[in-house]
Amino acid sequence: MLRKLGMIVLALFGVVALAGAGKPLPARSVGNWNATVVRTPIDSHLLGNPNAKVKLVEYISYTCPHCAHFEQESDAQLRIGLIATGKGSIEVRSFVRDGIDMTVALLTHCGAPNRFFANHNAFLRSQQTWIAPVMTATEAQKARWYNGPLPSRTRAIASDLHLYDIMEKRGYSRAETDRCLADTALAGRLAKHTQEAVDNDYVNGTPSFVLNGVPLAGTYSWAALKPQLEAALD
């Protein structure tokens, strides 16, 4: 089913999947690893020591309630026990399931790489609030979400779900937010990367994790992930 999902997303957005973004930014050799962020050639973001012993990849969908719950439970513990020590890194990859997911993913990528994780946290932590209007949206609203050029669709979603308000609180102007919502090249790449995750990393739900290159079967929560991280750090 997820194999079809990636193709549906590609078709839905009517964009061509392009090659990965440019070279990642150089990592800091010393200092606060919690302030070290690298944007990778596959449009993911890596937090921490890029040469760490333990490398955790997270596949996240912004409309997934389990992903929001995982972020709230794990973020502080991961930053203290994994990232700060330099022994571990976290790489977040967007897994886009529909137009709302794509809209939020584009907004988390808005701005310099070092802004990503704060954007990411802001949308996951407020998910219950901004996703609530979906339940009462009219057919006319939904038609605006899924018809027409990408920028008009994403802006309609951002307006109806009050995502502009979140971005304004994060320091983004309306013009900056609109530019990010109109990034058809990035949207194409994110859809392509989602399909690759299904094909290559066996992602069958979110959140999903890859630890040191090995997909973690049956691991969808902090309670299930934590002992595996601790074993890897030993």
Side-chain angles (χ1 to χ4, degrees):
M1 180 176 180
L2 283 179
R3 185 179 301 275
K4 293 181 180 178
L5 171 66
M7 300 309 295
I8 290 171
V9 170
L10 282 168
L12 176 67
F13 279 84
V15 290
V16 178
L18 303 176
K23 295 180 180 179
L25 299 176
R28 299 179 184 181
S29 58
V30 295
N32 180 10
W33 289 117
N34 272 299
T36 302
V37 179
V38 174
R39 180 165 177 167
T40 78
I42 61 169
D43 300 293
S44 60
H45 288 79
L46 186 146
L47 176 67
N49 180 3
N51 300 312
K53 171 187 175 182
V54 176
K55 296 178 173 61
L56 176 67
V57 174
E58 303 175 5
Y59 285 96
I60 296 295
S61 162
Y62 290 102
T63 58
C64 161
H66 300 294
C67 295
H69 185 65
F70 171 80
E71 193 279 335
Q72 291 172 9
E73 283 194 322
S74 67
D75 184 57
Q77 295 187 62
L78 286 171
R79 285 179 175 272
I80 294 170
L82 186 71
I83 303 303
T85 64
K87 295 179 180 179
S89 65
I90 301 170
E91 180 186 345
V92 173
R93 300 180 184 178
S94 296
F95 192 92
V96 290
R97 305 191 298 181
D98 56 27
I100 297 172
D101 238 331
M102 180 66 82
T103 299
V104 179
L106 290 173
L107 294 178
T108 62
H109 284 71
C110 199
N114 63 5
R115 304 196 72 181
F116 172 79
F117 281 93
N119 293 340
H120 169 79
N121 291 344
F123 280 103
L124 284 177
R125 297 208 172 204
S126 63
Q127 183 195 82
Q128 286 188 326
T129 300
W130 61 256
I131 209 168
V134 175
M135 303 302 295
T136 57
T138 66
E139 291 304 315
Q141 284 177 305
K142 292 177 182 178
R144 292 167 57 235
W145 298 354
Y146 294 106
N147 293 284
L150 174 79
S152 65
R153 285 178 268 153
T154 55
R155 289 170 185 169
I157 291 170
S159 178
D160 291 344
L161 303 188
H162 309 292
L163 305 182
Y164 283 107
D165 295 342
I166 297 173
M167 294 299 283
E168 184 178 1
K169 290 177 182 177
R170 294 277 307 121
Y172 292 90
S173 69
R174 181 80 175 219
E176 288 175 312
T177 300
D178 281 342
R179 281 196 295 272
C180 293
L181 291 171
D183 194 342
T184 56
L186 176 57
R189 296 197 303 270
L190 293 178
K192 176 176 178 285
H193 300 325
T194 295
Q195 182 61 44
E196 290 170 344
V198 176
D199 292 341
N200 302 327
D201 284 341
Y202 310 103
V203 177
N204 57 12
T206 53
S208 283
F209 307 96
V210 178
L211 182 59
N212 288 342
V214 179
L216 301 181
T219 302
Y220 304 107
S221 67
W222 175 235
L225 175 63
K226 184 178 179 180
Q228 297 180 76
L229 281 176
E230 290 172 344
L233 284 167
D234 287 343

